[in-house]
Amino acid sequence: MNRTRLLVTGANGFVGLPLCAEVQRQGWQARGAMRSLCQLSAGVESVSVGSIDGEANWCDALRDVDVVIHLAARVHVMKDDAADPLSEFLNVNLHGTENLARQAVKAGVKRLVYVSSIKVNGENTTRAYLESDTPNPQDPYGISKWRAEEALRRIEQESDLEVVIVRPPLVYGAGVKGNFISLFKAIDKGLPLPLAAAHNARSLVYVGNLVDALITCATHPKAAGTTYLVSDRVDVSTAMLVREIAVALNRPDRSFYFPPSVLRAIAGLLGKSAQVDRLFGFQSSPAMN
């Protein structure tokens, strides 16, 4: 595939910023789309598309574009205050994605790389997930991502658009936010954490590795029509992750043993069962070859 113009949606996000920088470094004509304009890497054109839903106008963003990497999404949060979370997720992740794909077809885009989520596969597993596993999303976010994947496959069958789907697990690296940075802050403050019994196995992917995988999916001829589960090569338990972060921060590991069953019972009374299940559950995927 010739190196012409590539559009990155969600270009000002945690993954979008380093992706745009690497795309530019490799010689692509890069364009970044976002809700409102902000500064991107030098040489990366930026365009505002407003709210990313079923009504967004992608005409300017898609002009002369060959490949789209679609990162923009309503992201998963541990506590969702929306009255109807599924509807809110579908509005952006399904309808917004389908709208983008159909406009991409009209604009003559050759390939769309969709960044989905390992949550499409499910929440807990006793073995590594595989691309061939039957999807089993459990929450509104995962459901919305799966339905977007289904919509993209339908559009792919009806048109000449090549679709590549990537389902990353938890992404880490400079600029990470959410629960990962909260864990960093707790360890940095020396707070005791009841996680020494969390001997699960969770896949992670470094943001730089995800960027490389996405560019490969955007350019490799054999990637068309495929779905990939990507991760780093080593799965870690929550207890191990706490230890490694403590070492990196030069802080003591103050995690302590607390029976998971008791912790789950307490969490249930506080309405936080999902958070505890994620800390102690298994969710892994194989490394991308």
Side-chain angles (χ1 to χ4, degrees):
M1 188 175 293
N2 294 326
R3 294 190 177 189
T4 51
R5 188 179 297 278
L6 186 148
L7 174 69
V8 176
T9 75
N12 58 334
F14 168 50
V15 179
L17 285 171
L19 175 59
C20 284
E22 182 61 18
V23 164
Q24 180 71 10
R25 189 190 70 80
Q26 293 191 19
W28 288 76
Q29 292 179 307
R31 180 182 293 155
M34 60 210 83
R35 290 187 178 183
S36 56
L37 292 178
C38 72
Q39 185 65 41
L40 299 175
S41 302
V44 178
E45 179 187 355
S46 60
V47 59
S48 172
V49 295
S51 296
I52 299 173
D53 53 24
E55 303 300 323
N57 186 339
W58 292 91
C59 182
D60 291 339
L62 291 169
R63 186 174 292 114
D64 301 322
V65 164
D66 288 290
V67 181
V68 174
I69 298 180
H70 186 34
L71 289 164
R74 187 175 193 268
V75 298
H76 175 262
V77 292
M78 294 297 285
K79 183 178 181 180
D80 198 327
D81 295 325
D84 185 355
L86 180 57
S87 178
E88 294 294 328
F89 278 114
L90 291 176
N91 187 44
V92 177
N93 298 347
L94 170 59
H95 304 308
T97 298
E98 187 171 12
N99 175 45
L100 169 61
R102 294 198 181 280
Q103 291 189 45
V105 171
K106 293 181 180 179
V109 173
K110 297 181 179 68
R111 179 175 294 186
L112 188 150
V113 179
Y114 179 57
V115 182
S116 184
S117 170
I118 193 62
K119 283 183 168 292
V120 168
N121 286 74
E123 292 294 340
N124 295 288
T125 179
T126 56
R127 61 167 178 79
Y129 286 125
L130 301 173
E131 289 87 348
S132 58
D133 288 340
T134 300
N136 186 31
Q138 298 293 308
D139 64 7
Y141 172 71
I143 292 169
S144 70
K145 285 291 192 176
W146 168 233
R147 290 183 62 178
E149 289 187 21
E150 291 182 305
L152 288 174
R153 291 302 183 205
R154 288 194 297 270
I155 293 171
E156 183 179 40
Q157 292 174 0
E158 300 166 358
S159 68
D160 294 328
L161 181 67
E162 298 174 350
V163 173
V164 186
I165 293 170
V166 179
R167 297 178 190 159
L170 179 64
V171 185
Y172 68 96
V176 69
K177 298 178 182 179
N179 297 314
F180 205 97
I181 196 64
S182 297
L183 183 61
F184 263 81
K185 290 179 179 179
I187 296 169
D188 191 41
K189 292 178 181 178
L191 299 179
L193 300 171
L195 300 175
H199 299 303
N200 51 351
R202 298 189 69 89
S203 292
L204 307 174
V205 62
Y206 173 59
V207 65
N209 292 338
L210 178 58
V211 163
D212 288 344
L214 293 176
I215 293 175
T216 299
C217 288
T219 58
H220 200 292
K222 293 185 179 180
T226 56
T227 297
Y228 293 109
L229 275 59
V230 299
S231 75
D232 295 338
R233 292 190 177 277
V234 179
D235 292 344
V236 297
S237 68
T238 302
M240 184 187 305
L241 182 61
V242 170
R243 289 196 299 271
E244 293 297 325
I245 293 174
V247 169
L249 295 176
N250 195 27
R251 294 288 189 271
D253 176 6
R254 298 192 184 280
S255 57
F256 61 93
Y257 178 82
F258 198 89
S261 58
V262 178
L263 192 60
R264 285 191 174 94
I266 296 173
L269 295 175
L270 299 175
K272 296 185 180 295
S273 297
Q275 290 91 323
V276 172
D277 286 341
R278 290 186 179 96
L279 286 171
F280 286 86
F282 290 74
Q283 189 182 66
S284 60
S285 57
M288 184 178 183
N289 293 325

